[in-house]
Amino acid sequence: MPPKLPLIGKAVSSLFLSSRHFVCPSCRYKQSRAISNSPARLRTQGKRKARGTTLQIRTASTTASITAVNVRRDIPPRFLTLHQSFKSLESEAAVYINLSQLRLALRGLESENAVTRIAVLGLNGHNGPRRLARALLADPLASEQRWEKQLTADDNDERAILLRYGEQSDVDDRHPLVKTLFIPSATLYTHGLEILVQASSAANQSSGEAGVANLLVPGNGRLSTVTFPVHKMIIYQEGLQDLDSVPKISMHEGEMFKVIFDWSWSTLQQQSPKAQSVSPINLALGEAAIDIFRQSLQRSVEYDHLWFDAGMPGITAWLLDGTESQNGGIKPAIRGLLQTICKNATKAIAQEDESSVQRQKASTISVATKNIIDQGISIWAENAHTELRDRLDRAFYSKSWRRIKWWKLFWRVDDVGYIASDILQKDWLVAAEKEMIWISGRIHQSGLLGLPKLRPAAVLDPDDEQTLGGHPPPPSVSDLVEKWSTYEVVENQVFQQPSLPETIPRARYALSLLTVPPLQSLSQSLLLQTISTNALASSLSALLYVSVSTTSPYEAGAIAAVGLVWSLRRLQTRWEIARLKWEAQMREDGRSVLRNVEEVARATVREGGMGEVDEFGREDRRVAREAVARAERALEETSPGVDSSLHVDTLRTQQ
């Protein structure tokens, strides 16, 4: 036998309104009418009417429902820890959860008698799910009511319909996407239900586990961003056509999803109310059973047979399953929604981890590519060392280098810097520099250098900030000093090696600044010392010859000759040693630069191309995973019939 809903509906005013704190929209309207009929109110209305102003009172309720997300309510103490654990998901795991679905679950924890919202989605339009909702909520003992005609009216209104309890049938169609229909249904009132009826095109895109999870947040249209989360869902399919559009529901999801096939041409046997997630029904036969029973109460036996043959008792039992809490605990429907949120969040985090690993693997360079580039570096190093040896030998035996021998310094001293710089520019790792540019291009092309790093934003000194129309600050001594005044600064700046192609030219520039000027200065100082020594020896010889009469010209000339020989010998020795040292330094510095470039290039090939690790994303996923774990533990600890006030006291102590 179907449930005797009409008897409950007759006693609803005398029984439930006195024991449960529920104020329906009609009662709020009556209270507003009672307040408006008070003497003071009537006097005010009389004055307004005298002024020609009419007072408009809306018959539709404007109060927010229990499931509204912006209503502030007192949280029961036994749900406080669980509420705070899931509330933290909004800030710590917002990317991996559906916020509207989470807020619906939180509203279920903020009330003793939380409303359970069930969606009836039609895959073939809005007519089928509206007829199904009417058959499930209609009162067979009463005549057809006005809300039934409004629900099944064949109009062009494609908006979703939200069925809520109300003692009188009323319609609130101010929302552009949802039309709220208040109906005097004992089923909605007794079990605290809301029924969302709409035609959904989102189910056509729901394939796989992710699509099934998204069905709990159906949307109104493709371009709409407004969603209506629900606790449970009935998916209505008329006939067997377009079976590909039906989402695939697993057996363990039967408590939250129910797929119904309307086979109106066949007689169905009674289905188990909870064993299957897919149930066939005969909706036309169920509607006929209600019409037969309304015609005559004596046809109750025929009504029972038709109702059971239509497969409606199983749908009714599934609809009411999980809507009542046991021993003051969480309603099974709300608990199932919380478990779904945690499960979907965990799955989304795991998928993001896998995607991060796949992206890192995709950006990793293959070993074969690295081996090819490494072989190219080995060939470059061998050719570069050979070039350094041969080109410098040819340069140091060239005619230009022989022009600055010690005995030619008297007329070639000003050419020392030019000749040394010319050797550096033309014979010091010229070909190696060009080949390194090509190898660097290969390294960059293969992706071993990774993504370019952005420079950090410059930090300005607050004292340097000037206002509009102000005067510039006075110059300081540091502003007038040359920034490249010492060799140490130049050397540090040159050998930072910002990139492989720039290493050799910057090293050449550093050598031209650090070695050529000292060599030029040494040649000039040695020549000056030689000339001054010869002049001093000649002066001493002339003075001795003039002052001492017994000194012969040969004796005086011997002193001048000794000074000349000693100064020339000193010039020859020191200058040739300086030239040899400069040659050796050019060779050694060249080998050092080549070794450095080779090591850096090999390290780039060896350590580069490993894929970019998303450190920020990994940290966000870790925080989200910990938040979901805390929510799951809090949900496990909050079992039906167990008071969690101890957890509340512990939380307050920690705070």
Side-chain angles (χ1 to χ4, degrees):
M1 290 292 291
K4 302 298 182 179
L5 301 181
L7 298 179
I8 300 177
K10 293 180 180 179
V12 68
S13 301
S14 61
L15 178 60
F16 291 96
L17 291 179
S18 61
S19 60
R20 301 181 66 177
H21 302 284
F22 181 85
V23 181
C24 66
S26 300
C27 294
R28 294 184 182 274
Y29 171 72
K30 291 179 180 179
Q31 292 177 2
S32 63
R33 292 289 297 174
I35 295 175
S36 63
N37 292 331
S38 61
R41 187 77 174 185
L42 292 175
R43 288 194 298 269
T44 305
Q45 293 179 5
K47 295 179 181 179
R48 292 181 178 178
K49 290 181 179 180
R51 295 194 300 266
T53 305
T54 58
L55 179 63
Q56 300 292 336
I57 301 178
R58 291 178 294 183
T59 58
S61 174
T62 58
T63 58
S65 67
I66 295 178
T67 56
V69 297
N70 295 323
V71 179
R72 178 64 179 175
R73 294 184 179 273
D74 295 332
I75 304 174
R78 62 181 180 276
F79 299 151
L80 183 59
T81 304
L82 182 62
H83 184 277
Q84 293 180 352
S85 299
F86 276 87
K87 184 70 175 178
S88 63
L89 296 180
E90 289 185 345
S91 58
E92 299 179 1
V95 182
Y96 308 102
I97 61 175
N98 188 285
L99 293 180
S100 59
Q101 192 178 41
L102 176 62
R103 288 164 185 165
L104 176 64
L106 292 177
R107 299 311 302 174
L109 299 176
E110 295 173 358
S111 175
E112 293 286 351
N113 301 316
V115 170
T116 303
R117 182 183 295 172
I118 302 176
V120 181
L121 301 185
L123 303 183
N124 307 104
H126 62 273
N127 188 27
R130 292 181 182 181
R131 290 171 52 204
L132 178 61
R134 170 186 173 273
L136 294 175
L137 302 178
D139 186 0
L141 294 177
S143 59
E144 186 177 7
Q145 301 182 15
R146 184 164 60 95
W147 68 267
E148 299 181 34
K149 299 179 181 179
Q150 294 175 346
L151 182 61
T152 58
D154 187 13
D155 53 5
N156 296 326
D157 192 356
E158 298 292 339
R159 291 181 298 174
I161 297 179
L162 182 62
L163 301 178
R164 289 179 176 173
Y165 174 76
E167 286 191 355
Q168 296 180 359
S169 298
D170 198 359
V171 179
D172 184 6
D173 57 353
R174 292 171 298 174
H175 199 283
L177 300 177
V178 180
K179 180 172 65 175
T180 304
L181 185 61
F182 298 95
I183 61 176
S185 173
T187 303
L188 297 183
Y189 177 77
T190 305
H191 300 279
L193 296 179
E194 288 182 355
I195 306 297
L196 178 66
V197 183
Q198 75 174 86
S200 175
S201 60
N204 297 332
Q205 303 173 359
S206 300
S207 59
E209 298 180 355
V212 173
N214 294 331
L215 282 178
L216 289 177
V217 193
N220 267 290
R222 299 178 182 177
L223 302 179
S224 175
T225 58
V226 180
T227 56
F228 303 93
V230 295
H231 297 88
K232 302 172 64 177
M233 180 175 297
I234 295 177
I235 302 174
Y236 177 84
Q237 169 70 19
E238 185 176 354
L240 298 179
Q241 60 272 22
D242 297 333
L243 292 180
D244 294 337
S245 63
V246 180
K248 300 171 180 57
I249 308 298
S250 59
M251 297 300 295
H252 66 276
E253 294 174 338
E255 297 180 357
M256 302 188 66
F257 297 94
K258 191 77 169 179
V259 179
I260 295 176
F261 291 95
D262 185 8
W263 294 351
S264 300
W265 64 85
S266 63
T267 301
L268 307 174
Q269 301 296 327
Q270 180 180 1
Q271 300 293 329
S272 176
K274 299 182 182 180
Q276 297 180 357
S277 59
V278 179
S279 299
I281 64 170
N282 192 328
L283 184 56
L285 193 62
E287 292 175 333
I290 296 176
D291 295 338
I292 290 175
F293 194 71
R294 284 176 173 176
Q295 294 175 4
S296 174
L297 298 178
Q298 297 178 358
R299 306 180 66 178
S300 60
V301 177
E302 184 180 358
Y303 162 75
D304 292 338
H305 287 293
L306 294 177
W307 187 259
F308 275 90
D309 290 342
M312 300 302 294
I315 307 302
T316 304
W318 183 90
L319 187 72
L320 303 180
D321 182 41
T323 60
E324 297 293 337
S325 61
Q326 300 178 357
N327 300 326
I330 306 176
K331 289 185 178 182
I334 299 177
R335 178 179 292 273
L337 182 60
L338 295 175
Q339 293 174 350
T340 301
I341 292 174
C342 294
K343 177 182 177 182
N344 294 339
T346 303
K347 189 179 301 181
I349 295 173
Q351 291 177 354
E352 185 62 25
D353 288 336
E354 182 65 22
S355 300
S356 178
V357 173
Q358 294 298 331
R359 289 193 298 268
Q360 184 178 359
K361 289 182 179 179
S363 59
T364 302
I365 308 303
S366 62
V367 179
T369 304
K370 290 185 176 182
N371 292 336
I372 294 174
I373 299 178
D374 189 74
Q375 292 177 1
I377 295 175
S378 300
I379 296 174
W380 170 84
E382 181 179 357
N383 295 335
H385 283 282
T386 303
E387 177 204 359
L388 178 67
R389 181 193 61 195
D390 297 341
R391 295 289 293 271
L392 288 183
D393 288 344
R394 185 165 56 251
F396 292 145
Y397 285 100
S398 64
K399 183 178 180 181
S400 61
W401 183 248
R402 292 197 302 267
R403 288 177 181 176
I404 56 174
K405 284 183 173 293
W406 67 272
W407 54 275
K408 294 182 180 181
L409 285 180
F410 294 96
W411 62 91
R412 296 285 188 180
V413 67
D414 293 333
D415 297 338
V416 173
Y418 168 75
I419 294 175
S421 300
D422 186 70
I423 291 176
L424 286 175
Q425 296 296 329
K426 295 182 179 180
D427 299 311
W428 195 80
L429 301 178
V430 177
E433 177 186 352
K434 297 179 181 179
E435 293 178 1
M436 177 49 61
I437 295 175
W438 182 82
I439 293 178
S440 300
R442 288 289 305 276
I443 294 176
H444 181 74
Q445 181 185 13
S446 62
L448 292 173
L449 298 179
L451 297 177
K453 301 295 189 302
L454 298 179
R455 293 185 178 180
V459 180
L460 299 179
D461 190 356
D463 298 335
D464 295 339
E465 297 181 358
Q466 301 297 326
T467 59
L468 183 62
H471 297 284
S476 59
V477 178
S478 59
D479 298 332
L480 304 177
V481 176
E482 178 66 30
K483 301 300 181 181
W484 304 87
S485 57
T486 59
Y487 291 135
E488 290 77 14
V489 176
V490 176
E491 186 175 3
N492 292 335
Q493 293 293 331
V494 168
F495 288 98
Q496 284 182 353
Q497 295 179 351
S499 62
L500 290 176
E502 297 180 0
T503 303
I504 296 177
R506 290 170 72 93
R508 184 185 296 112
Y509 176 71
L511 290 176
S512 63
L513 291 178
L514 299 176
T515 61
V516 174
L519 185 64
Q520 175 75 34
S521 176
L522 178 62
S523 63
Q524 294 174 352
S525 63
L526 289 177
L527 183 60
L528 180 60
Q529 291 174 7
T530 301
I531 295 176
S532 61
T533 302
N534 289 331
L536 181 61
S538 300
S539 300
L540 181 60
S541 176
L543 180 62
L544 182 62
Y545 179 77
V546 173
S547 60
V548 180
S549 60
T550 59
T551 303
S552 63
Y554 297 101
E555 294 177 350
I559 297 177
V562 170
L564 177 62
V565 172
W566 181 83
S567 61
L568 292 178
R569 179 60 180 174
R570 180 173 178 271
L571 173 62
Q572 179 186 9
T573 304
R574 296 192 60 180
W575 178 243
E576 293 301 329
I577 292 176
R579 288 212 319 164
L580 293 177
K581 286 184 177 180
W582 193 81
E583 294 176 3
Q585 184 178 2
M586 293 302 101
R587 300 177 190 274
E588 185 61 29
D589 288 345
R591 287 190 288 266
S592 299
V593 170
L594 292 179
R595 285 196 301 267
N596 188 17
V597 173
E598 182 181 2
E599 292 176 0
V600 173
R602 292 188 186 276
T604 303
V605 175
R606 182 176 60 256
E607 300 174 1
M610 301 304 295
E612 294 291 335
V613 179
D614 188 7
E615 298 292 342
F616 296 101
R618 183 167 58 183
E619 180 64 20
D620 292 342
R621 291 191 295 272
R622 184 190 64 81
V623 174
R625 191 179 294 107
E626 293 178 356
V628 173
R630 289 195 303 268
E632 290 178 343
R633 289 194 299 267
L635 183 60
E636 293 176 357
E637 294 172 357
T638 308
S639 58
V642 178
D643 189 6
S644 61
S645 59
L646 179 60
H647 301 293
V648 177
D649 297 338
T650 304
L651 181 61
R652 291 176 178 175
T653 303
Q654 294 177 355
Q655 293 178 350

